[in-house]
Amino acid sequence: MTTNNIDIMKRKLIYAAMLAPALFLTSCKEDFIERPSLSGTTTGNYYNNADEVRAATSTLYSGLPWRNYESRAQDAIGDVMGGNMFTYTDTEYLNFTVSAASERVGASWGAFYKIIGYANVMLKTFEEKKAAGGGAAYLDPAIAECHFIRGMLYFFIARTWGAAPIITDPGATALSGDFNIPRYIQKDVLRFALEELQAAEKGLPESDVPGRVTKYSAKGMMAKLYLYQKDYANAKTKAEEVISSGKYMLVSDYTGMFTKASMNNNAESLFSIQHQFAQDPWGTANIKNPDRGAGALRTSEADAWEMYVPSMDMLKEYEFGDLRRKWSVMEHGWTNPNWKPQRANAPAYNAFMANGFKYDTLQPTNDGGSLSPTRANIVKYFAGPGKTYGGEPVLGQGSGNNVVLLRYADVLLIYAEAVLAGQASTADAKALDALNQVRKRAGLNPKTVITNDDILHERRVEFAFEGDYWYDIQRQGYAKAKAIIEKQDRGSKAYGSFLTNFSEDKMYLPIPAGEIVQDPELGKPAVPYYK
């Protein structure tokens, strides 16, 4: 993305964030219903040109509404439950004792339905504006963006909770006063998600400024949804359409995708939550930074408190020579020469960093030793401590790095798995090429035959700490998921392995308790959405 495009996107995100309160109210009965404002901005006095419309849809990409999911729920659900991360804080995700009162359950549910609420209101507003004679040239792509967001999030909801409510007109629901909204069966939630993505694919442009979704973003997300459903033929078709477009590539700087704001919206990204470095690190910045960094990386501006660290099992997963290990994980001897005290009068506890940071498990913590529970820390999304390191801005706990939710490496591995299509193995040349592109970047020898376990391994190490591995386990079905989890070392060096309490009813998360109190229908058996 050019500097000019970055500045434009940032201005639009800021403007949209200011506009959002005028567009949406959040005071209705259920957290998952967002009611449109009945005053202020209207279709009659606004959305008269592309700039006004795109300023509004920028809100859907902004880190603000995504905050409660991406900051910790994404880690707890996707990687702690998946066995990639160890944590002292979210232990219920380690041993599968998650309750309906869990903070992460409520946070992710609230974030997903809030963003869906925003998309719902925009979609209805833009359609009304178009019906009143508004310009289709700028309204149709915005309508398609809303469909993409709804489709993606209902896919995320279906794979996280299984059965769930579907809300398309929150204004009508809120004004009716009838909040007895049921859960719909997972199959129908997935069908709804797919139909939304199909609408997005139809209406989105072939290309746009970096950071905006396109037709290929929709195709890639559809491929992922089809794979989840084991619809291998359609998964293959959609993944192949993205691959053959020639619009995407694997970037050479793997670590930079997650630690350099200058690499936001690179050639590998199909959809990312858009962050920006701002003076308020808790506003629009990425705040994964402190949860992942080594405790030794203390500065006068902020601490890193290693809330999530690589699991013992994850550390065993890397093949010898896999470059993704040092690109994703800090272990003894790992260094970063740019991480130095930024002030002449830096605190004494930063003295060990005078010549750069070295991850050292042989020194006591008060001398800069890195003694996490598993003697490792996470590199992904850890931009560094202090105000600026290596030219990349960091303020307090926040950084300007986008959070990537779909990238080209995923599309390549989806294609390979779709060709395998549940068989014992495949030597298909195109499937091998797709998988081996990912392995080649990691410095590994190519495969000549692919099995399902090969693909699961590749997905685990490629997307480690990106919040996805639990869903790869889950979609294997209960019997295989149980076998995978029971073989994992989900503990730490200090306290040994954690015993898991995994059973078939733990395949999906419980609906937040507060939602069921407000809407008892959510506690009843799911019903069909499509009649």
Side-chain angles (χ1 to χ4, degrees):
M1 177 181 276
T2 65
T3 300
N4 185 52
N5 279 337
I6 292 172
D7 290 341
I8 291 171
M9 188 71 165
K10 285 181 177 178
R11 286 197 297 271
K12 289 184 176 181
L13 284 167
I14 293 169
Y15 180 57
M18 292 189 295
L19 181 64
L23 292 172
F24 316 109
L25 295 176
T26 60
S27 58
C28 55
K29 187 176 180 183
E30 268 74 28
D31 289 345
F32 58 90
I33 302 174
E34 294 293 333
R35 178 179 174 179
S37 174
L38 301 181
S39 62
T41 300
T42 67
T43 56
N45 62 25
Y46 207 68
Y47 306 126
N48 294 312
N49 55 59
D51 284 345
E52 291 175 350
V53 170
R54 284 167 74 84
T57 56
S58 290
T59 308
L60 302 173
Y61 300 82
S62 170
L64 283 168
W66 286 90
R67 170 63 42 85
N68 285 344
Y69 166 66
E70 67 162 27
S71 64
R72 288 175 181 165
Q74 184 184 27
D75 290 336
I77 299 168
D79 282 297
V80 177
M81 280 179 63
N84 288 351
M85 286 178 174
F86 177 83
T87 178
Y88 285 137
T89 307
D90 293 321
T91 54
E92 66 267 37
Y93 294 87
L94 278 175
N95 56 24
F96 291 94
T97 58
V98 180
S99 75
S102 167
E103 180 181 358
R104 311 296 175 229
V105 169
S108 51
W109 176 281
F112 289 164
Y113 278 104
K114 180 181 288 292
I115 301 163
I116 287 170
Y118 286 10
N120 282 337
V121 174
M122 288 184 199
L123 189 58
K124 186 175 179 63
T125 302
F126 297 155
E127 287 174 341
E128 289 175 352
K129 184 72 177 183
K130 183 180 174 182
Y138 59 83
L139 287 169
D140 282 346
I143 289 169
E145 283 181 290
C146 294
H147 282 301
F148 175 87
I149 293 295
R150 286 206 313 195
M152 177 180 64
L153 285 178
Y154 275 114
F155 171 38
F156 286 9
I157 286 167
R159 66 182 189 166
T160 302
W161 287 279
I166 297 174
I167 310 296
T168 59
D169 191 346
T173 301
L175 292 173
S176 74
D178 182 5
F179 295 98
N180 295 312
I181 301 168
R183 291 187 305 144
Y184 296 108
I185 57 177
Q186 186 197 38
K187 181 181 70 172
D188 283 5
V189 181
L190 287 169
R191 175 180 165 184
F192 181 83
L194 178 59
E195 290 173 353
E196 289 293 291
L197 291 171
Q198 289 169 335
E201 179 190 30
K202 182 177 179 180
L204 286 168
E206 290 269 333
S207 61
D208 206 326
V209 299
R212 291 274 179 174
V213 293
T214 69
K215 198 175 295 291
Y216 295 98
S217 305
K219 291 177 187 290
M221 193 60 70
M222 287 166 67
K224 196 173 180 76
L225 190 157
Y226 279 129
L227 189 73
Y228 185 86
Q229 295 178 307
K230 294 183 170 55
D231 183 346
Y232 298 118
N234 279 314
K236 177 186 173 184
T237 296
K238 290 303 169 186
E240 191 165 31
E241 287 174 6
V242 176
I243 294 167
S244 62
S245 74
K247 292 179 177 293
Y248 302 93
M249 60 180 289
L250 300 178
V251 300
S252 58
D253 188 355
Y254 182 96
T255 304
M257 282 193 286
F258 312 100
T259 59
K260 296 178 181 178
S262 56
M263 284 189 66
N264 284 348
N265 304 316
N266 58 69
E268 190 165 336
S269 174
L270 277 78
F271 178 79
S272 298
I273 300 169
Q274 301 292 310
H275 282 292
Q276 53 195 299
F277 178 68
Q279 291 304 305
D280 176 11
W282 299 107
T284 55
N286 178 339
I287 57 171
K288 286 183 180 289
N289 217 44
D291 289 346
R292 297 179 172 221
L297 287 165
R298 296 183 298 153
T299 71
S300 56
E301 293 84 26
D303 288 350
W305 46 69
E306 55 193 22
M307 183 172 176
Y308 302 108
V309 300
S311 70
M312 300 297 291
D313 200 71
M314 184 68 236
L315 295 173
K316 297 172 185 176
E317 186 73 17
Y318 292 101
E319 296 172 61
F320 179 77
D322 192 333
L323 296 174
R324 289 169 294 194
R325 184 168 189 145
K326 68 177 182 180
W327 292 342
S328 305
V329 177
M330 299 179 202
E331 296 177 276
H332 184 75
W334 189 94
T335 61
N336 189 318
N338 294 316
W339 291 350
K340 301 176 184 179
Q342 298 296 296
R343 300 184 303 162
N345 60 341
Y349 54 69
N350 287 158
F352 78 97
M353 294 170 59
N355 298 311
F357 174 73
K358 178 179 179 181
Y359 196 95
D360 191 344
T361 60
L362 301 181
Q363 299 298 319
T365 53
N366 59 354
D367 291 325
S370 300
L371 306 180
S372 88
T374 61
R375 302 299 183 264
N377 284 91
I378 298 169
V379 174
K380 282 185 180 178
Y381 294 117
F382 186 72
K387 291 186 176 179
T388 179
Y389 278 79
E392 294 296 331
V394 181
L395 178 66
Q397 275 91 8
S399 76
N401 304 121
N402 288 349
V403 172
V404 188
L405 295 186
L406 182 65
R407 54 189 178 92
Y408 185 57
D410 202 348
V411 175
L412 290 171
L413 294 179
I414 288 169
Y415 179 82
E417 186 173 348
V419 172
L420 180 63
Q423 303 172 83
S425 64
T426 183
D428 179 89
K430 292 177 72 173
L432 286 167
D433 178 67
L435 182 135
N436 286 329
Q437 284 185 54
V438 177
R439 288 179 62 81
K440 181 179 179 181
R441 177 172 62 177
L444 297 173
N445 292 328
K447 293 279 187 180
T448 56
V449 177
I450 303 172
T451 67
N452 186 63
D453 286 344
D454 290 331
I455 291 172
L456 274 180
H457 161 78
E458 211 63 49
R459 291 190 63 84
R460 186 180 190 187
V461 295
E462 177 68 24
F463 306 115
F465 321 125
E466 296 179 47
D468 210 48
Y469 189 55
W470 161 244
Y471 301 109
D472 281 330
I473 293 176
Q474 180 204 66
R475 65 186 177 85
Q476 305 306 308
Y478 172 64
K480 185 162 184 178
K482 182 177 177 66
I484 290 171
I485 289 164
E486 290 185 344
K487 288 180 182 177
Q488 290 180 339
D489 182 351
R490 300 168 71 90
S492 70
K493 285 184 177 292
Y495 295 99
S497 292
F498 268 62
L499 296 176
T500 64
N501 187 34
F502 187 66
S503 53
E504 193 163 6
D505 62 321
K506 308 296 173 57
M507 290 285 280
Y508 300 100
L509 292 180
I511 288 177
E515 301 295 336
I516 297 176
V517 169
Q518 295 179 83
D519 178 10
E521 292 295 314
L522 296 178
K524 297 178 181 179
V527 300
Y529 181 76
Y530 295 93
K531 307 305 182 186

